[in-house]
Amino acid sequence: MMTPEQRYFFDLTGYLHLHGVLSESELRPAQDAAQRYIDTPPDQLPEGFRIDLNREHFNWYLYAFAFDKALERLTMHPQTWPILLELTGGKPRLGGGNMMVDVHGKPFHPLHSGRESALRKGQPGWRRSFVKDGKIYNNDLVFFFYLTDVFPGDGGLIVVPGSHKANFLREHHYFYPESYTADGGYNDDYFSTEVPEGVTNFTPRAGDVVIMSEHLTHGALSWEPKDRDRRFLTLRYGVQHIGPSDPFPDGVKAQLSPETLELIAVRDFKDHKEITTRDTVELTL
Ligand SMILES: O=C(O)CCC(=O)C(=O)O
Ligand SMILES: [Fe+2]
């Protein structure tokens, strides 16, 4: 369940910033697990896991949600679980769970959204969002679980509030004119920490969660601090009846508890996942 105020805010803006979601006893082990993943030499990772330090906008720790139970538990955290159930109409599917680490020197991550890319490609929309019976439905969601602090002026996540239901397509030169190249690609030589009118920058603390619709136009400012990075687990959720049927390597799935295996499973629309009948889900170890 969402509170009426959360429904109002998410409908209006396309996001929710939840403060202090992780308790100290949840946060510390999650941070330790993240550090362990970062410190693991790539050739010693468990089968299926992979580190990609060559992505232009951040370092990427693939399938981090499955790397440790402290991270896996976040996929069905007691505070975000009811919100996820409501937004997906009780039919959630976890489709991705990488950790991103943003470090000084990575370029600005230009504004983008799943909705805009679909519109640009002229794709008929399977990305749906509507309100029915007083509830918001959204089949394309991202939950960012912050493991480190972001302070004003640091940079990091930006969104265009309300853009999840924009009626006009944003052109590439809006807000950050230099951030795209003439042919519509990302300009990897562009750096900015500016927050123009109409854009919101987030300063989550470790243990906060930012929930947003993938329809929302978002990106990231260049990361200013040289002595701190920005670490967050990116949990991407859709609905159970929309694939891809199997996005996770066998080695990754081998680490997961039965509850999480059910969460990632593709199912018929009419089915009810057993986990969705529970208010809180404990992982079987
Ligand atoms: O760096 C960020 O906070 C945004 C990352 C992003 O665009 C995404 O995960 O879809
Ligand atoms: Fe994105």
Side-chain angles (χ1 to χ4, degrees), residues 128-148:
R128 297 294 308 278
S129 178
F130 53 84
V131 174
K132 185 164 176 277
D133 302 330
K135 302 258 172 69
I136 301 166
Y137 175 87
N138 193 302
N139 65 12
D140 203 2
L141 296 158
V142 195
F143 287 42
F144 296 112
F145 280 75
Y146 271 76
L147 302 175
T148 52

Side-chain angles (χ1 to χ4, degrees), residues 93-114:
R93 180 180 66 82
L94 180 72
N98 304 320
M99 176 169 67
M100 291 163 169
V101 179
D102 191 4
V103 297
H104 184 81
K106 294 277 184 187
F108 178 89
H109 190 176
L111 291 170
H112 61 283
S113 84

Side-chain angles (χ1 to χ4, degrees), residues 58 100 102 109 112 142 144 146 156-158 212 214 218-220 230 232 234 236:
F58 33 72
M100 291 163 169
D102 191 4
H109 190 176
H112 61 283
V142 195
F144 296 112
Y146 271 76
L157 180 65
I158 46 175
M212 61 172 218
E214 263 286 21
H218 65 281
R230 181 171 65 106
F232 52 101
T234 300
R236 294 185 196 279

Side-chain angles (χ1 to χ4, degrees), residues 189-202:
D189 297 321
Y190 182 74
F191 293 82
S192 179
T193 52
E194 268 171 52
V195 185
E197 195 166 349
V199 171
T200 295
N201 173 221
F202 292 80

Side-chain angles (χ1 to χ4, degrees), residues 65 69 72 75-76 92-94 246 248-250 252-267 273 275 283:
F65 78 101
K69 293 295 159 188
E72 187 177 335
T75 64
M76 290 172 277
R93 180 180 66 82
L94 180 72
D246 199 0
F248 300 109
D250 288 341
V252 169
K253 282 186 286 188
Q255 305 289 334
L256 298 175
S257 294
E259 294 78 13
T260 318
L261 287 170
E262 198 185 19
L263 179 64
I264 67 172
V266 171
R267 291 283 180 75
K273 292 187 177 181
I275 47 170
L283 299 185

